[in-house]
Amino acid sequence: MGRFYTKLAYVSALAALVCGCVTLDSSRDSGVVDSSVVATWWDGPRIRPGVALIIQVGTVATPPQVMNVLVDQNGDITLPLLLQESIACDGLTLEALKKKLIKAYSVYYRQPQITVTFAPYDGKGVSPWGTVTVLGEVGNPGPVNMPSTMDLTVTKVLQAAGGLKPFADKSNILVTRCDKDGRQTRTRVNLNEIGKDGRIDKDMSLRAGDVVYVYETWY
């Protein structure tokens, strides 16, 4: 049992680190809630390093210039007519970057007309919709991209992470989530309920920033 509690403490600490949340006081946190009552929260896709953007810049009198740009590892982009000065955009929404570019291009254009969109996302590269981190007894632990449809569930993310290893505990999948107020929620998902019992409603919907941990069986 000492091995179990040591591993559990490690997982809780790692999940808190990945989420960037404050772990709740044990007197206030029951530790486990039913997956069907977990609240959802999402504020939209964000620009991050590695994301591809399509930016159109023009004026009322001139047609737009279309530019395909990739956000560099520092979270910046470089565009023509801005004296090669980089524009920081890591963490911004599309609307926030648009306002920033309008201000920058106003030095060169009168009433610049600008649109900013994400390039078509094919499931590869970096997703502007974020990632879910999968750890433990899976084939390929690490981040899994969130699709633009936002329909990633526990069973889907486990498949994307290479499936379960032979000694994975299917009845004890831990999902750690951080709410926007910094509170942490830990939810247990039982794959046997989903598969053998046909309880699709128990296949928890995930959101960006969630951490999914698959335990090893202890027998």
Side-chain angles (χ1 to χ4, degrees), residues 60 101 125 134 136 152 200 204 208 215 219:
V60 177
L101 291 177
V134 185
L152 193 62
I200 300 178
M204 180 178 173
Y215 285 92
Y219 52 87

Side-chain angles (χ1 to χ4, degrees), residues 43-191:
D43 65 352
R46 296 281 175 166
I47 298 169
R48 64 192 71 221
V51 166
L53 302 172
I54 299 176
I55 300 175
Q56 299 185 51
V57 180
T59 67
V60 177
T62 60
Q65 178 183 1
V66 180
M67 296 169 283
N68 293 276
V69 298
L70 189 68
V71 183
D72 67 24
Q73 61 182 359
N74 297 318
D76 300 338
I77 57 175
T78 302
L79 300 174
L81 297 182
L82 294 182
L83 301 179
Q84 298 302 307
E85 179 182 350
S86 60
I87 301 293
C89 56
D90 188 14
L92 297 182
T93 62
L94 294 179
E95 184 61 26
L97 177 58
K98 176 183 174 180
K99 292 179 179 179
K100 196 170 187 178
L101 291 177
I102 288 175
K103 181 178 180 181
Y105 272 101
S106 292
V107 176
Y108 306 96
Y109 291 149
R110 190 176 199 181
Q111 296 181 329
Q113 306 294 304
I114 296 177
T115 61
V116 183
T117 59
F118 290 113
Y121 178 63
D122 60 2
K124 301 177 182 179
V126 179
S127 169
W129 289 269
T131 61
V132 171
T133 301
V134 185
L135 302 171
E137 298 300 302
V138 293
N140 300 302
V144 173
N145 281 327
M146 178 69 71
S148 59
T149 51
M150 303 296 293
D151 61 351
L152 193 62
T153 64
V154 170
T155 57
K156 288 181 180 179
V157 83
L158 292 177
Q159 291 174 358
L164 299 177
K165 289 184 176 180
F167 293 102
D169 188 350
K170 296 181 180 179
S171 65
N172 191 21
I173 310 298
L174 178 66
V175 179
T176 301
R177 170 170 295 173
C178 295
D179 294 322
K180 55 186 176 182
D181 60 358
R183 292 174 61 85
Q184 187 182 93
T185 303
R186 294 186 291 276
T187 306
R188 305 284 179 178
V189 177
N190 188 335
L191 296 184

